[in-house]
Amino acid sequence: MKRRTNGGTKRARVAPTIASAAPVGCGDDPIEGRELPPHPEGQRLLRADLAVMREWLTREWLCVSGRHPVRDVWRRSDGCATVELQSLATSIARVVPKARTAEGGKGLLRDWRDKIIGDKPESMRGALFEVYMAGLFDDPAHPVRTVAKGQPGYDFAVTFDNGAVLRVSCKSRDESNEERVASKFAAGLRDRIRAEIGPGIAMEIHVFAPPKAHESLFNVDTVFPRVRDAVRAGRSGRPVAEGLPIDLQITAHPSTCGQEGLVYRTERLSFRLLIGVPLDAERIADRFRQKVASALANVQAECDVGPDRANIIVYRIPSRLALEDARRAVVDALASTTSTRTSSVYLYRAQLSTGGPTSPYYLGHELLEVKNKAASVAAESIIPGGTLHLRIPVGRIQIAEPTYFVTDGEQRFPIGPDMWIRLHGQHYYRRPNWTGGDVSIRRLLGVAQWFAHWHFVSGGVAERQVGAEIPDTVTLL
């Protein structure tokens, strides 16, 4: 829309609008429409924590139309989103009220919020990780104290009854350039499939790149015609697997519904697109080692130690870096730097999973401590009892790294730590001779975990398009 003025033509300013169909979480009750914890007390706590989160980020921002990672998760109704929001909102509810009354707290909260709702993914993820970790460390036995914006060396402090203080520096690893290239390619190929492949038999489409694949392979305009031809062949009863060892491997074959009493709707396009891109594990580990070395040097320069003061670093590790590789990278970083003021480096990663189709969603909190043998003050020496408590609202701590699998029919293939995997898809079902009523089901898509729900409404038709990243299905933590 344009508006004519004496000075010429100007584009009219359009105010943001609330989405026409009220999204989940935007009504009076922030938990209405969500898949909820089974117990009333869990629902009560979730409602209270989501209310704090919505008040801080504002309902107006969360419910305005427009894509943003936080908005996207807030508006989802599935159990995966509920678990992730519950974890984050619990930390927000613990930390934000404290920061409001702390010295420099208003500026800190403004800085956190600006980064979280901003358009820079690295800043958003870093701020979310700081808030989230502060909430996990906050315990009645050792409450957290926030610090002013820009505090050198650390992001918050854990305090103890004996007057000791443990300073915590939070670091969140950013997405690599290789992952950004692969992500852009996957999304572009998904969009072309949705736009240009017509309805018909539901299809399984796999696109896997060879080791050390050059990024020139990831050209949607080049790859899509091959995918389209593979889908045509698969629908005609001639499933194909084409490609040479130096090329992308592309397969397409009809998909089975996998849900008793349901069939795919052939008048709509249903597909599952699984893309695998090998990453250079050694390069990822080396880049991580450099980041850890930089964080150690920062603590060494900015934070002192003493009989009642110690420092630790908590690092959110890359989703495709094995815990053992990350541990070795930290050990190498400690050996290559003069670091006497960091007691330990904690490696942390959240993975969304479930024990099976009847189990509730939970977060697996992968946590590994790497002690610094050269530290002049060990953290446990200043902590009464020598024990820190992490108050985890959902899930359990996993010391051993889980194994993830890609499934193809009855076959399962383990996903190695050097393989970047992205799953996209949409599925439309119908129930033959369906007579009415609402039905909701779960479906396993491609990994050894449940990740999405389809809700059946008018006429038993699923109209929801779904997609997920695997195996790291968490978006915000």
Side-chain angles (χ1 to χ4, degrees):
M1 180 174 63
K2 294 183 178 180
R3 179 176 57 196
R4 177 72 64 181
T5 67
N6 291 335
T9 300
K10 291 186 178 180
R11 192 174 300 276
R13 183 174 297 173
V14 180
T17 57
I18 301 295
S20 56
V24 172
C26 295
D28 293 337
D29 187 348
I31 70 171
E32 184 178 0
R34 303 187 189 278
E35 186 179 358
L36 299 173
H39 303 296
E41 178 63 12
Q43 296 176 19
R44 183 190 69 80
L45 293 173
L46 176 63
R47 178 182 287 109
D49 292 344
L50 288 183
V52 175
M53 178 176 176
R54 188 169 69 175
E55 183 270 334
W56 182 44
L57 298 180
T58 76
R59 184 188 304 196
E60 289 74 19
W61 182 82
L62 285 168
C63 298
V64 164
S65 298
R67 298 299 302 273
H68 187 281
V70 176
R71 283 196 194 116
D72 292 347
V73 175
W74 178 266
R75 294 171 183 173
R76 284 168 45 197
S77 62
D78 59 274
C80 299
T82 299
V83 165
E84 192 168 0
L85 286 173
Q86 185 173 7
S87 301
L88 183 58
T90 299
S91 282
I92 289 174
R94 291 171 182 169
V95 175
V96 167
K98 289 188 173 188
R100 283 174 172 157
T101 59
E103 182 179 355
K106 292 182 179 179
L108 174 67
L109 290 176
R110 185 164 53 249
D111 182 61
W112 273 345
R113 183 181 179 276
D114 288 347
K115 290 177 179 176
I116 289 171
I117 70 175
D119 58 2
K120 295 181 178 179
E122 296 84 359
S123 297
M124 178 203 72
R125 191 176 290 278
L128 286 172
F129 190 61
E130 289 177 20
V131 178
Y132 176 57
M133 277 292 121
L136 294 191
F137 275 90
D138 187 55
D139 186 85
H142 46 72
V144 159
R145 184 183 72 221
T146 61
V147 297
K149 168 190 170 184
Q151 171 67 44
Y154 66 103
D155 299 298
F156 61 86
V158 183
T159 62
F160 302 92
D161 289 341
N162 62 356
V165 175
L166 178 66
R167 304 185 188 98
V168 182
S169 173
C170 297
K171 300 296 180 183
S172 179
R173 177 263 187 183
D174 300 330
E175 189 178 43
S176 69
N177 182 64
E178 298 96 320
E179 290 168 302
R180 284 191 287 268
V181 169
S183 180
K184 182 178 180 180
F185 168 73
L189 186 58
R190 172 205 63 199
D191 293 343
R192 286 288 293 275
I193 291 172
R194 285 176 174 170
E196 299 186 34
I197 291 184
I201 298 173
M203 296 299 294
E204 301 272 349
I205 306 166
H206 293 182
V207 179
F208 275 72
K212 302 186 183 301
H214 192 271
E215 65 180 54
S216 61
L217 281 177
F218 309 122
N219 184 307
V220 174
D221 291 334
T222 302
V223 174
F224 172 73
R226 297 171 57 188
V227 170
R228 180 188 56 208
D229 292 344
V231 168
R232 288 172 177 170
R235 283 178 170 174
S236 67
R238 297 180 290 106
V240 297
E242 58 106 343
L244 300 172
I246 61 171
D247 198 1
L248 293 176
Q249 302 296 300
I250 299 175
T251 64
H253 56 83
S255 175
T256 56
C257 182
Q259 295 296 332
E260 184 177 356
L262 298 174
V263 296
Y264 283 119
R265 299 174 61 200
T266 55
E267 73 274 18
R268 302 298 298 269
L269 171 63
S270 293
F271 71 93
R272 182 179 71 167
L273 172 65
L274 186 64
I275 296 176
V277 178
L279 300 178
D280 190 331
E282 291 185 4
R283 182 186 299 178
I284 293 174
D286 185 62
R287 186 184 299 120
F288 182 62
R289 180 192 61 76
Q290 295 176 39
K291 294 287 188 181
V292 173
S294 176
L296 290 167
N298 185 52
V299 171
Q300 188 72 15
E302 302 291 351
C303 300
D304 63 354
V305 294
D308 59 353
R309 301 182 305 283
N311 310 294
I312 63 172
I313 296 172
V314 182
Y315 221 117
R316 178 186 174 275
I317 61 176
S319 60
R320 300 311 300 144
L321 178 61
L323 272 179
E324 177 57 25
D325 290 343
R327 186 196 67 80
R328 285 198 298 266
V330 173
V331 171
D332 291 345
L334 287 167
S336 64
T337 60
T338 302
S339 177
T340 60
R341 295 182 174 182
T342 298
S343 171
S344 297
V345 176
Y346 286 85
L347 303 174
Y348 174 84
R349 175 166 54 204
Q351 298 278 30
L352 185 65
S353 54
T354 183
T358 60
S359 301
Y361 294 99
Y362 72 89
L363 278 177
H365 302 267
E366 298 177 23
L367 186 67
L368 182 65
E369 180 187 11
V370 183
K371 292 182 179 292
N372 180 13
K373 297 178 181 179
S376 54
V377 176
E380 54 265 31
S381 70
I382 71 165
I383 300 172
T387 303
L388 273 174
H389 302 278
L390 289 185
R391 284 204 296 164
I392 296 173
V394 183
R396 61 192 182 199
I397 292 179
Q398 298 175 172
I399 302 301
E401 188 167 19
T403 301
Y404 293 89
F405 297 87
V406 173
T407 64
D408 185 1
E410 298 298 321
Q411 295 181 300
R412 296 204 311 167
F413 306 96
I415 303 173
D418 59 344
M419 179 65 75
W420 180 95
I421 296 288
R422 179 63 53 88
L423 175 66
H424 288 300
Q426 61 189 44
H427 291 252
Y428 295 94
Y429 299 105
R430 64 182 177 84
R431 182 186 294 277
N433 304 317
W434 188 78
T435 58
D438 290 341
V439 184
S440 75
I441 62 171
R442 297 175 179 174
R443 185 176 182 209
L444 183 65
L445 278 190
V447 284
Q449 60 188 30
W450 299 89
F451 88 99
H453 280 226
W454 285 258
H455 295 278
F456 289 74
V457 291
S458 59
V461 174
E463 295 291 351
R464 176 165 299 178
Q465 296 182 354
V466 297
E469 302 175 13
I470 55 174
D472 185 9
T473 53
V474 295
T475 303
L476 305 178
L477 302 182

